[in-house]
Amino acid sequence: MSKPRVAVVFGGRNSEHAVSLMGAGSVLEAIDRSKYEVIPIGIAQDGRWVLAASDQRYSIEAGELPAVDTSGAALALPSGGSSLVAYDPGSIPVELGSVDVVFPVMHGPFAEDGTIQGLLEMAGVRYVGSGVLASAVGMDKAHMKTVMTAAGLPTGRYVVVRDRDWRLNRELVLKEAEELGWPVFVKPARAGSSQGISKAHDRAQLEEAVEVARQHDPKVLIEAAIAGREIECAVLESLGDEPAAASVPGEVKVVEGHEFFDFEAKYYPDQMSLTVPADLPAETVEELRAMAVRAFEALDCEGLARVDFFYTPDGKLIFNEINTMPGFTALSVAPQLWAASGLPYPALVDRLIQLAMNRRAGLR
């Protein structure tokens, strides 16, 4: 019998393009080639889909971020089924065969936000990770917080700034933000990997921070700073009918020179440390894991997610955010949390593929 065909898709048209490649490189190394046939597919920043070249670079080298190599054969995913067709310039399309599962190691807008999930749903192709709604709500921090508050999870105070608000009612926006107290964090509402995030200590810095965030997304979130330790927990869907499972929690700390967990702290070597398991009281660990699963279920997540919290000096847990396709290199937080919980990276990758293969196509 032929092996299941897994298309690992990476890249995309956003500022998290390089982060996607770093995760895809780890996934491609970890997949058991004796068990699966693997097709690496890159989406260039101009939107072209290509069959990845054998020498495609996936890692940061000499400070240079990786990007999809567009020299490979162009690809199309026909709307009538789950076949991939390769187009070489001047040649007849070559049928690549049926794809059983797509593993979209993708982040940010036009990727993790339900966009590629909707494309795959329309094509009837099974895929790893959450569906359209969970992906879209998980990407939009404003709607995410609304859902989590409704689910009974404590969240910090924030102000949502839409494009019209900033253009026509800037003074009102600034006044509402000032009521949160200083400092505040300013974020694009629909971006990840700490892209476009700034910490503002006064009105002048706030205005500048909003403009920086608006370079990534016209919708911006201003959040009150929360004093507390950053604790993260990973959640994984069950292969059977059991509830989703939570990993042991870990604590993230950044090295000196970073005011917060910014892009360089996340992805450049030796810029952050992860303590697993986090040094927390046993009852707090159980409460945090239960809250992480509640967040996963509140969004109807599938596959995996990483849920982030603040642990305050007075012992309270405050929900920060959920990431439906977290950073996924072997050294990223979610895979490290699962490795510490007894599920090493190759087994985690296999588990996610199996979950996708077992899921029903269409509405679930």
Side-chain angles (χ1 to χ4, degrees):
M1 294 180 64
S2 60
K3 293 182 286 188
R5 308 192 90 194
V6 179
V8 178
V9 181
F10 53 88
R13 295 170 40 231
N14 59 52
S15 58
E16 295 174 72
H17 182 93
V19 176
S20 170
L21 269 75
M22 288 185 269
S26 290
V27 171
L28 289 166
E29 286 184 11
I31 291 181
D32 185 350
R33 302 303 176 105
S34 69
K35 189 173 180 179
Y36 304 105
E37 183 178 353
V38 181
I39 305 171
I41 298 171
I43 302 178
Q45 289 179 315
D46 62 4
R48 281 181 290 170
W49 292 51
V50 299
L51 188 63
S54 59
D55 59 351
Q56 164 72 61
R57 180 169 63 86
Y58 296 96
S59 59
I60 298 174
E61 294 181 7
E64 183 180 348
L65 297 174
V68 168
D69 181 351
T70 57
S71 64
L75 288 169
L77 182 64
S79 59
S82 56
S83 294
L84 285 168
V85 181
Y87 294 92
D88 281 308
S91 68
I92 298 174
V94 178
E95 179 68 33
L96 292 179
S98 178
V99 173
D100 296 289
V101 171
V102 169
F103 198 137
V105 191
M106 301 184 71
H107 309 290
F110 315 115
E112 183 189 352
D113 62 348
T115 308
I116 191 168
Q117 291 79 11
L119 171 68
L120 296 171
E121 291 280 359
M122 291 180 68
V125 180
R126 291 176 173 83
Y127 56 92
V128 169
S130 289
V132 175
L133 178 64
S135 298
V137 176
M139 188 84 259
D140 189 313
K141 295 177 180 64
H143 289 300
M144 175 206 303
K145 289 179 183 290
T146 299
V147 172
M148 295 307 165
T149 300
L153 294 172
T155 61
R157 298 164 59 226
Y158 63 95
V159 171
V160 180
V161 185
R162 294 174 176 82
D163 179 58
R164 181 180 176 86
D165 300 332
W166 189 244
R167 289 187 292 105
L168 302 182
N169 298 301
R170 181 174 301 198
E171 190 62 31
L172 178 60
V173 169
L174 293 170
K175 182 178 179 181
E176 290 178 346
E178 286 176 328
E179 291 174 359
L180 297 174
W182 303 109
V184 294
F185 285 94
V186 183
K187 306 176 178 179
R190 295 164 291 191
S193 300
S194 296
Q195 296 279 6
I197 296 181
S198 305
K199 188 176 183 179
H201 297 83
D202 55 40
R203 177 178 276 225
Q205 289 184 358
L206 174 60
E207 287 196 75
E208 182 180 353
V210 172
E211 293 296 347
V212 169
R214 280 169 54 83
Q215 293 175 19
H216 297 265
D217 186 352
K219 185 177 180 181
V220 172
L221 207 68
I222 304 173
E223 296 179 331
I226 297 173
R229 296 156 57 190
E230 293 193 39
I231 310 294
E232 308 196 346
C233 185
V235 182
L236 190 61
E237 183 184 359
S238 167
L239 277 168
D241 293 327
E242 298 82 9
S247 71
V248 298
E251 180 174 2
V252 172
K253 294 181 180 179
V254 298
V255 300
E256 280 188 52
H258 299 275
E259 269 205 281
F260 59 93
F261 202 26
D262 59 17
F263 181 85
E264 289 190 2
K266 285 185 176 180
Y267 297 107
Y268 281 75
D270 305 320
Q271 299 298 301
M272 74 94 170
S273 65
L274 176 67
T275 302
V276 186
D279 183 14
L280 297 168
E283 61 272 17
T284 301
V285 170
E286 290 311 305
E287 180 186 5
L288 184 144
R289 296 176 73 213
M291 289 171 68
V293 171
R294 194 192 317 166
F296 188 88
E297 293 176 343
L299 232 57
D300 284 340
C301 290
E302 296 170 275
L304 80 164
R306 193 196 71 236
V307 189
D308 303 342
F309 298 89
F310 293 109
Y311 181 57
T312 65
D314 58 355
K316 294 180 181 178
L317 289 167
I318 299 177
F319 171 85
N320 182 24
E321 66 179 45
I322 186 170
N323 197 315
T324 57
M325 182 51 73
F328 212 71
T329 71
L331 298 178
S332 294
V333 173
Q336 285 198 64
L337 293 176
W338 279 117
S341 304
L343 191 66
Y345 188 76
L348 175 60
V349 169
D350 186 77
R351 169 79 165 269
L352 291 170
I353 294 172
Q354 289 297 315
L355 283 166
M357 290 179 64
N358 291 341
R359 77 197 295 181
R360 184 170 68 243
L363 296 176
R364 291 178 291 283

